[in-house]
């Protein structure tokens, strides 16, 4: 295993355990106040990286700011659903449902005219079976928190497709800073409108905020960037999808969460589906007939 692989595994672990930090942080802060502080810390933690990872490509400023506005809005809506949903479901469930964006992207991509291979659809099918097993209970009922997390996954899906488009025109780091800044503004407005954030509450949630805002953004972003330099996109996505497994481990270790047999089966199907859908395929080389 190379150092690049280790960087990506570390990124997945940091992201997975962030679900625990988000749950603990809401013991003293509302979901919108937590997100506002998280986005602030994320923005501040990424700014110094501009001096380390200087953008190599010239920036299309119009696409940077308009794209950052759109991506930041998706980020805000996705994290809002994720944070509110965590009030009613486990960190493990939230992690696996959020990771479903990996298999939802091909579905939305099909609508947009993107080509999707057969093995990806097999993975999507298995993941959907797992999602049903994980979230749908007796009488076809679905837990409130799981439903909110699932809604958030739609915004994560849109965010992935949007970033995929914007990455052709702007560098990743400036775009990340702009989108976190936009998300911070939106979350702050929402927090002061719907909640009453206090300095005491922020102090009590300081360590979860530092983990979610700095470790899960600045540190993880750096490790992801370093790791993906020498690893193919398919392998990178495959490793990063293990974020869901680390979310379950974090909930079990730190919050004593226990998944039912049905939920474990659902997680297994989702993980298998994600692996199949992201598993790299060897490029097919055309055979040239010799006359």
């Amino acid at each position: 295993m190379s150092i690049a692989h280790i960087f990506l595994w570390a990124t997945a672990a940091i992201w997975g355990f962030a679900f625990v930090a988000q749950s603990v942080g809401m013991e003293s802060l509302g979901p919108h106040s937590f997100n506002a502080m998280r986005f602030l810390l994320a923005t501040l933690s990424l700014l110094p990286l501009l001096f380390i990872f200087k953008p190599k490509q010239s920036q299309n400023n119009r696409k940077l700011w308009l794209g950052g506005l759109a991506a930041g809005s998706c980020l805000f809506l996705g994290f809002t659903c994720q944070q509110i949903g965590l009030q009613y479901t486990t960190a493990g469930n939230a992690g696996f449902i959020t990771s479903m964006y990996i298999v939802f992207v091909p579905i939305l991509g099909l609508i947009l005219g993107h080509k999707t291979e057969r093995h990806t659809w097999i993975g999507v099918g298995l993941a959907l079976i797992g999602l049903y097993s994980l979230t749908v209970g007796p009488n076809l009922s679905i837990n409130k928190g799981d439903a909110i997390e699932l809604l958030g996954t739609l915004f994560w899906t849109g965010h992935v497709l949007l970033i995929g488009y914007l990455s052709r025109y702007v560098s990743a780091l400036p775009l990340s800073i702009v989108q976190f800044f936009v998300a911070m503004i939106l979350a702050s407005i929402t927090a002061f409108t719907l909640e009453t954030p206090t300095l005491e509450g922020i102090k009590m949630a300081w360590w979860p905020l530092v983990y979610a805002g700095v470790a899960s953004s600045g540190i993880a972003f750096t490790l992801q960037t370093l790791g993906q330099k020498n690893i193919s996109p398919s392998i990178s996505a495959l490793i990063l999808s293990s974020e869901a497994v680390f979310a379950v481990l974090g909930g079990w270790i730190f919050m004593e969460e226990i998944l039912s047999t049905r939920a474990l089966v659902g997680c297994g199907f989702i993980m298998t589906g994600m692996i199949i859908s992201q598993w790299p395929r060897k490029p097919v080389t055309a055979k040239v007939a010799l006359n």
Side-chain angles (χ1 to χ4, degrees), residues 24 48 51 53 55 69 71 100 107-108 135 167 201 221 223 238 242:
V24 174
F51 298 97
F53 302 103
L69 178 61
M100 284 291 294
I107 296 176
L108 188 55
T135 62
S167 63
F221 173 86
L223 292 175
L238 190 61
S242 65

Side-chain angles (χ1 to χ4, degrees), residues 4 54 71 94 99 104 110 119 163 173 179 194 209 212 215 222 274 280 283:
K54 294 181 179 179
S99 295
F104 283 172
L110 184 67
H119 72 273
I163 294 298
L173 185 53
Q179 68 174 348
L194 302 179
L209 281 170
T222 305
M274 289 192 295

Side-chain angles (χ1 to χ4, degrees), residues 30-228:
H32 304 295
S33 300
F34 184 91
N35 277 340
M37 288 301 302
R38 172 193 189 148
F39 294 141
L40 172 61
L41 291 173
T43 304
L44 294 176
S45 70
L46 288 175
L47 283 173
L49 298 181
L50 278 176
F51 298 97
I52 302 174
F53 302 103
K54 294 181 179 179
K56 295 180 180 179
Q57 66 187 91
S58 59
Q59 300 300 306
N60 183 320
N61 288 329
R62 186 171 183 272
K63 279 189 167 58
L64 174 63
W65 287 101
L66 289 179
L69 178 61
S73 298
C74 283
L75 204 64
F76 162 71
L77 291 169
F79 270 118
T80 295
C81 291
Q82 189 179 93
Q83 204 65 24
I84 294 175
L86 276 168
Q87 294 177 309
Y88 309 102
T89 191
T90 64
N93 272 33
F96 266 98
I97 295 171
T98 297
S99 295
M100 284 291 294
Y101 73 83
I102 291 176
V103 293
F104 283 172
V105 166
I107 296 176
L108 188 55
L110 184 67
I111 300 174
L112 298 175
H114 297 176
K115 184 179 179 181
T116 302
E117 297 182 11
R118 183 188 303 172
H119 72 273
T120 302
W121 289 118
I122 295 174
V124 169
L126 289 173
L128 290 176
I129 293 173
L131 181 65
Y132 177 88
S133 180
L134 179 67
T135 62
V136 179
N139 303 318
L140 300 179
S141 61
I142 183 170
N143 174 281
K144 180 179 179 180
D146 291 343
I148 296 173
E149 295 291 348
L150 189 58
L151 175 63
T153 303
L154 300 180
F155 295 115
W156 294 125
T157 301
H159 184 262
V160 169
L161 292 172
L162 191 58
I163 294 298
Y165 167 77
L166 292 171
S167 63
R168 287 178 267 169
Y169 304 98
V170 297
S171 295
L173 185 53
L175 177 60
S176 293
I177 292 173
V178 172
Q179 68 174 348
F180 273 121
F181 177 75
V182 170
M184 178 196 69
I185 297 298
L186 294 174
S188 298
I189 293 172
T190 307
F192 282 108
T193 302
L194 302 179
E195 300 170 353
T196 308
T198 63
L199 287 176
E200 187 61 31
I202 293 173
K203 288 179 181 178
M204 292 176 65
W206 181 245
W207 282 112
L209 281 170
V210 169
Y211 186 92
V214 178
S216 188
S217 300
I219 295 175
F221 173 86
T222 305
L223 292 175
Q224 181 191 11
T225 302
L226 292 172
Q228 286 194 254

Side-chain angles (χ1 to χ4, degrees), residues 223-271:
L223 292 175
Q224 181 191 11
T225 302
L226 292 172
Q228 286 194 254
K229 280 185 176 181
N230 301 308
I231 302 294
S232 69
S234 296
I235 293 293
S236 297
L238 190 61
I239 295 174
L240 294 175
S241 68
S242 65
E243 165 193 0
V245 177
F246 287 109
V248 171
L249 287 174
W252 175 59
I253 295 170
F254 298 107
M255 303 183 70
E256 298 182 350
E257 294 177 354
I258 299 176
L259 293 178
S260 65
T261 301
R262 178 188 173 96
L264 286 172
V265 170
C267 290
F269 270 105
I270 292 174
M271 198 67 212

